[in-house]
Amino acid sequence: DGIRDRDVTGVQTCALPILADPYRWMEDLDSPKTRAFVEAQGAYTESYIKALPQRASLHQRLTQLYRYVRYDTPFMAAGQTYYTMNTGLQNQNVLYRATPGGGREVVLDPNTLSTDGHLAVVGYVLSHDGRYLAYGVSDAGSDWTQWRIRDLKAERDLPEVLAHTKYYAPVWSADDRALYYSAFPAPAPGQELAAEDLDNALYQHVLGTSVSDDARLYSDPVHRDLQFLPSLSGDGQTLIVAVGEGEVGDKGLEDVLLMEVRSRTWAPMSTGFKAA
């Protein structure tokens, strides 16, 4: 039948047919051929959409529906109230701080980070004293996140940037002098979208120092798929780390490790992936 054959011993074996695989070249995401294909597909789609006579009226109706002010849930830091708001048609919500008398002031406007909106803010973490704001920036929707640190008193970003992070926000130390964060090794150029999530590690960054000097607090080179989500106890004395096989939370069960902040000594709280 074209599939079954017999080997020299007379035993029937199965030889699989050759399958066509004409699009394997598209797995090279950054090759000129792949980029040209994507651009051609985009141009073809856009030419069709632009020719639709209903497009103008649909655009007008959607604009009407989206043009309303909306807020996210407020949060507190150092006795002050922060919240994000969108006037209706902004690409990204703006972070505000409430002022006495019911007013507000802009803390960070993500819409100013890039002219075409490819840089998006995906999270905010304020220091306990309200002086510093760590904010995560994603490029073109990537899981890769850079955490920048803004001095709100000086109204400028610090030079250090926490790079090669994914999924997890950093955590401020109790004295607001450092950040605990989870990061991956830097991917090879051109492999940012193809690199596996392996060799995650936990670090400590001290403000005013180079990120190249950040202390590596914990990793597991034997189990390379483990990832680490840090949080801090209420008294600031214990770093609590949820450990996941892959992204923390995906399987619903984690290990939990504790680090005594002053001595940097570690102790397991729950192992065997039994904790939720």
Side-chain angles (χ1 to χ4, degrees):
D1 55 11
I3 296 178
R4 294 190 177 277
D5 199 358
R6 295 180 181 274
D7 65 11
V8 293
T9 64
V11 178
Q12 220 173 31
T13 60
C14 180
L16 293 177
I18 296 176
L19 300 178
D21 191 12
Y23 299 106
R24 178 60 62 93
W25 55 271
M26 294 183 69
E27 293 187 10
D28 186 356
L29 302 178
D30 296 312
S31 73
K33 187 178 180 182
T34 303
R35 288 183 177 274
F37 177 84
V38 171
E39 291 172 3
Q41 288 288 304
Y44 178 78
T45 302
E46 190 66 18
S47 66
Y48 178 83
I49 292 175
K50 282 183 177 180
L52 294 175
Q54 304 91 343
R55 192 184 193 206
S57 59
L58 182 61
H59 182 272
Q60 181 180 7
R61 180 58 178 148
L62 287 173
T63 301
Q64 292 173 344
L65 293 173
Y66 273 97
R67 186 180 280 130
Y68 68 94
V69 178
R70 47 194 179 271
Y71 301 85
D72 278 341
T73 306
F75 56 96
M76 302 288 293
Q80 294 183 299
T81 303
Y82 295 80
Y83 61 91
T84 63
M85 184 188 77
N86 194 305
T87 57
L89 298 179
Q90 293 171 294
N91 285 330
Q92 300 184 63
N93 295 353
V94 178
L95 178 65
Y96 291 93
R97 177 169 47 216
T99 57
R104 63 174 181 263
E105 57 185 356
V106 175
V107 177
L108 182 69
D109 184 355
N111 300 293
T112 64
L113 297 181
S114 56
T115 58
D116 60 358
H118 74 279
L119 295 180
V121 172
V122 296
Y124 297 110
V125 184
L126 276 152
S127 61
H128 302 94
D129 61 8
R131 164 116 187 228
Y132 297 102
L133 171 71
Y135 64 100
V137 178
S138 169
D139 190 346
S142 171
D143 285 336
W144 291 108
T145 304
Q146 285 188 346
W147 285 91
R148 305 178 185 181
I149 306 166
R150 174 156 296 190
D151 184 336
L152 298 183
K153 184 177 180 180
E155 297 183 344
R156 62 177 178 83
D157 283 359
L158 302 183
E160 57 257 39
V161 175
L162 310 182
H164 311 126
T165 76
K166 289 186 179 185
Y167 318 129
Y168 318 119
V171 177
W172 287 98
S173 61
D175 59 9
D176 293 325
R177 295 179 57 191
L179 281 161
Y180 302 106
Y181 68 100
S182 179
F184 293 90
Q191 295 298 308
E192 291 85 359
L193 300 181
E196 291 186 83
D197 289 347
L198 298 175
D199 301 317
N200 189 233
L202 196 67
Y203 297 88
Q204 180 186 37
H205 173 72
V206 178
L207 295 189
T209 67
S210 171
V211 293
S212 62
D213 297 329
D214 288 356
R216 188 185 184 103
L217 300 178
Y218 193 86
S219 63
D220 191 332
V222 175
H223 304 96
R224 300 177 61 201
D225 63 328
L226 296 185
Q227 296 181 30
F228 310 102
L229 170 63
S231 60
L232 197 66
S233 62
D235 61 5
Q237 300 303 308
T238 305
L239 188 68
I240 306 164
V241 180
V243 183
E245 291 180 307
E247 186 175 351
V248 177
D250 268 2
K251 297 183 178 181
L253 296 174
E254 292 84 43
D255 282 356
V256 181
L257 307 179
L258 306 178
M259 186 194 81
E260 205 282 326
V261 170
R262 289 188 178 181
S263 65
R264 291 188 183 175
T265 55
W266 288 88
M269 191 182 90
S270 176
T271 59
F273 295 98
K274 300 175 182 178

